[in-house]
Amino acid sequence: MRTVKRRPGRPSLSNEELLDKALDLFLEKGFAGTSIDAICTAAGMAKRTVYSRYGDKETLFKAALSRAIDEWIVPIDRLREQESEDFEASLIRIGEILVTNVLGPAGLRLLRLTNSESVTMPEISLENVRRGTEPTLQYLADLFRRRLGDENGNFPDAEEAAQAFLSIVVGGPASNAAWGMNIDMASVERHTRYCVRLFLHGLLEESASPPENEAGQLRRLLRDAEDRLGEARGRIEEATRLVRD
């Protein structure tokens, strides 16, 4: 009996390679400008194979974005390894890791994709925050409780301090990078050291015992009044928006 040899087919890309190809196209042309046909061509994969894996373009996009988040996330254990007796030095090392990560290829790709598509798909920003930002904020808040809290580990401003740390140390470089600015490593280190010191010494002053002199008490009262006024304005704006809607 004669044996018929089958012609070898095209080698199938791994799922990770397919998602990487899709990510590159989504970044270059945007979600609306990228077709399944273009992704299949770039990946050298049959359309039926892509549809069998993901069903539609939006599902494929979200899976690709999930992979981008996986590549971007800094493991909390890596941040914890930077801790030492020198609190300021610890924060500088942690800050440099976070800034370098957001400015790396994976971070920039995720940042630009999220910024460009989150208006029409706000859930992708929420997923980014849930999986990437929230664990980092929780770690930082815990770190501040351990290092700045009282004997029971109480530090009421821990969550706000964690958010401020990310905003001051990481937010600036991330915003600049999103606008296409190139930042060299020397600038990253200089920025991180300056911002950590600015943040930390302000935080240490805030967590110190309230001043006993009259001028210090007055400054504290004014600061509290400003905070409450800001909260009141926010509630008024929210109420106004609800009435208009």
Side-chain angles (χ1 to χ4, degrees):
M1 182 177 178
R2 185 178 176 185
T3 302
V4 178
K5 293 184 178 180
R6 293 184 178 180
R7 296 175 60 187
R10 291 180 297 182
S12 179
L13 289 179
S14 70
N15 202 53
E16 289 75 16
E17 290 171 321
L18 168 62
L19 294 179
D20 281 336
K21 294 287 186 181
L23 276 171
D24 290 338
L25 283 174
F26 284 130
L27 181 59
E28 179 184 353
K29 300 180 181 298
F31 177 79
T34 301
S35 66
I36 289 288
D37 285 334
I39 293 172
C40 291
T41 300
M45 185 175 288
K47 188 185 296 186
R48 65 178 178 275
T49 303
V50 175
Y51 276 118
S52 69
R53 293 184 184 183
Y54 293 104
D56 56 44
K57 186 173 75 169
E58 183 172 332
T59 302
L60 173 59
F61 174 73
K62 290 180 178 179
L65 199 69
S66 179
R67 173 165 171 75
I69 293 174
D70 287 338
E71 291 184 335
W72 165 69
I73 291 172
V74 177
I76 297 304
D77 287 344
R78 185 183 175 201
L79 299 179
R80 194 172 285 114
E81 288 170 356
Q82 311 310 311
E83 295 182 27
S84 67
E85 292 299 320
D86 189 329
F87 187 42
E88 183 173 311
S90 300
L91 289 180
I92 289 173
R93 288 192 294 269
I94 290 169
E96 286 179 350
I97 287 174
L98 294 174
V99 174
T100 302
N101 183 62
V102 80
L103 297 181
L108 289 177
R109 182 168 65 174
L110 178 63
L111 181 68
R112 289 165 181 165
L113 272 172
T114 303
N115 286 349
S116 63
E117 304 298 340
S118 59
V119 174
T120 55
M121 286 186 279
E123 65 272 17
I124 66 176
S125 292
L126 295 176
E127 182 70 0
N128 190 357
V129 169
R130 183 185 70 82
R131 293 179 53 200
T133 307
E134 285 184 356
T136 303
L137 286 171
Q138 291 169 6
Y139 162 72
L140 289 169
D142 175 69
L143 174 62
F144 296 144
R145 289 189 189 96
R146 287 187 281 113
R147 302 300 292 264
L148 299 175
D150 59 22
E151 64 274 9
N152 297 317
N154 296 319
F155 184 54
D157 296 333
E159 286 80 8
E160 287 80 2
Q163 185 66 64
F165 181 88
L166 282 188
S167 298
I168 294 171
V169 178
V170 185
S175 297
N176 291 340
W179 287 100
M181 294 178 61
N182 293 320
I183 306 174
D184 57 71
M185 285 308 300
S187 298
V188 168
E189 294 176 2
R190 189 165 54 249
H191 163 87
T192 304
R193 289 180 179 276
Y194 177 82
C195 289
V196 165
R197 287 169 181 158
L198 181 66
F199 163 83
L200 182 59
H201 291 295
L203 186 63
L204 290 174
E205 179 183 347
E206 191 71 22
S207 63
S209 300
E212 294 297 331
N213 62 72
E214 185 175 348
Q217 290 178 0
L218 180 59
R219 283 195 297 270
R220 180 165 53 84
L221 290 172
L222 287 172
R223 197 162 54 237
D224 290 343
E226 288 173 352
D227 290 342
R228 292 173 183 173
L229 181 59
E231 292 175 1
R233 286 173 177 165
R235 289 173 183 154
I236 291 171
E237 290 173 357
E238 178 64 15
T240 302
R241 185 185 65 80
L242 290 174
V243 170
R244 287 175 179 171
D245 291 345

